[in-house]
Amino acid sequence: MARLIGGMGTSHVPGVGAALDNGKTAEPYWAELFKGFAPLRAWHAENTPDVTIIVFNDHATSMALNHYSTFMLGVAESFRPADEGWGPRKVPDVEGHPELAWHLVESLILDEFDMAVTADFDVDHGLTVPMSIAYDQPDVWPTKVIPLCVNVIQHPQPTALRCYKLGQAIRRAIDSYPDDITVGIWGTGGLSHQLGGERAGVVNPEFDRMFLDNMVNDPMANTRLTHTDFIREAGSEGIEMIMWNVMRGALNEKVREVCRLYHIPVSATAYGGIILEND
Ligand code: DHB
Ligand code: FE
């Protein structure tokens, strides 16, 4: 039987990937953040799963807004880093796991989550930056990946509770997969940030810290946050945080916090990261 070994919540700020790709991690602006990644990276080195389900959003990179699904699974053999305007990041292609991906598709749809499915799309910073945060700069990524995209950019987005329930259904799917493999799950995005408009640059450390605390001790509190709560408290892109609820829903009710990092500023946003293991 497949076994879920843990979860990570992490921001996916593109500047973090750019700092790494351009050799700037030792510069004063970035050094403290990258030093802070050390415990996260140590955990990932010790606990690399066979497959990682990465919950992220495509930032209208590979999907145009005329074809944008609420929840979408990637079932391809591999996924290329997307060209987001400056050429694709020079990071390895991401190897998929079609068998588990198709099991997820079947299990989730029979469990009343009507997933969209794609075998052909490039993955943007929402997926590749968390890979770099976890695994630095290897020649080949050490885990296979199943991309799971959530619509957080076009109305109407799924609710925070729906995302949590999707996580619970993913857990049932993992638990019913017959092969003895290990699985990880990441929720990416956030934390509070707004990239344009009057409140561009908004960061709300109190809200972010409450969200992180709830991840550990009171996950249902994070499912009661409305879209308006996110916009008001965390800026217009803060709604990306609902994707962390997918990760949290897949874990046990009781979890152990392995490590946490919260850092301001990172390109006009806050970086948040947390690793949770089933208790
Ligand atoms: C930025 C972009 C993102 O998608 C995000 O989640 C955080 C920050 C940015 O452009 O700075
Ligand atoms: Fe984003």
Side-chain angles (χ1 to χ4, degrees):
M1 191 178 95
R3 188 168 61 86
L4 180 66
I5 61 169
M8 172 169 73
T10 177
S11 305
H12 58 219
V13 189
V16 174
L20 201 63
D21 299 347
N22 296 306
K24 293 182 186 245
T25 59
E27 292 186 1
Y29 184 86
W30 293 107
E32 196 186 323
L33 178 69
F34 277 84
K35 217 173 91 198
F37 289 153
L40 271 79
R41 286 177 166 173
W43 184 85
H44 285 289
E46 285 288 307
N47 298 278
T48 309
D50 297 312
V51 194
T52 305
I53 299 166
I54 303 186
V55 185
F56 75 109
N57 63 297
D58 176 85
H59 299 73
T61 306
S62 294
M63 257 69 66
L65 293 180
N66 58 339
H67 286 283
Y68 211 91
S69 305
T70 305
F71 297 124
M72 186 182 77
L73 275 165
V75 297
E77 294 279 354
S78 71
F79 304 88
R80 284 180 310 270
D83 184 348
E84 300 183 58
W86 298 271
R89 290 189 65 206
K90 290 187 179 55
V91 294
D93 286 1
V94 174
E95 220 187 307
H97 196 294
E99 274 195 359
L100 178 60
W102 277 110
H103 173 80
L104 284 167
V105 171
E106 181 169 9
S107 178
L108 289 171
I109 288 177
L110 295 180
D111 212 353
E112 302 184 347
F113 282 87
D114 305 318
M115 309 300 286
V117 180
T118 179
D120 181 23
F121 89 119
D122 296 346
V123 288
D124 75 7
H125 66 270
L127 186 145
T128 64
V129 166
M131 289 293 275
S132 300
I133 289 168
Y135 296 116
D136 206 351
Q137 294 178 298
D139 293 332
V140 177
W141 295 122
T143 179
K144 295 183 178 184
V145 169
I146 297 176
L148 196 170
C149 290
V150 176
N151 168 32
V152 294
I153 69 172
Q154 174 158 265
H155 291 277
Q157 295 100 332
T159 64
L161 177 61
R162 187 66 175 158
C163 288
Y164 186 85
K165 288 179 174 174
L166 174 62
Q168 292 178 311
I170 289 170
R171 177 62 179 278
R172 290 191 285 274
I174 294 169
D175 289 349
S176 68
Y177 188 68
D179 292 358
D180 283 330
I181 57 169
T182 51
V183 180
I185 184 164
W186 300 352
T188 82
L191 296 175
S192 56
H193 69 296
Q194 174 155 339
L195 301 177
E198 270 177 34
R199 297 170 73 218
V202 72
V203 172
N204 185 343
E206 290 75 29
F207 183 80
D208 290 343
R209 291 205 167 92
M210 176 207 70
F211 188 84
L212 289 166
D213 288 343
N214 288 342
M215 272 285 138
V216 185
N217 300 314
D218 189 4
M220 294 316 289
N222 285 345
T223 70
R224 291 189 287 271
L225 294 165
T226 65
H227 295 157
T228 309
D229 291 333
F230 281 109
I231 292 167
R232 186 195 305 114
E233 302 299 329
S236 56
E237 275 76 47
I239 192 177
E240 287 187 346
M241 293 157 87
I242 63 172
M243 296 184 288
W244 291 42
N245 281 358
V246 181
M247 175 274 286
R248 187 61 185 84
L251 298 176
N252 291 1
E253 211 173 304
K254 290 246 179 303
V255 293
R256 185 171 49 254
E257 178 176 338
V258 176
C259 58
R260 180 193 301 209
L261 177 61
Y262 187 74
H263 180 88
I264 304 172
V266 182
S267 316
T269 78
Y271 174 85
I274 197 164
I275 290 178
L276 303 170
E277 287 177 344
N278 283 329
D279 209 4

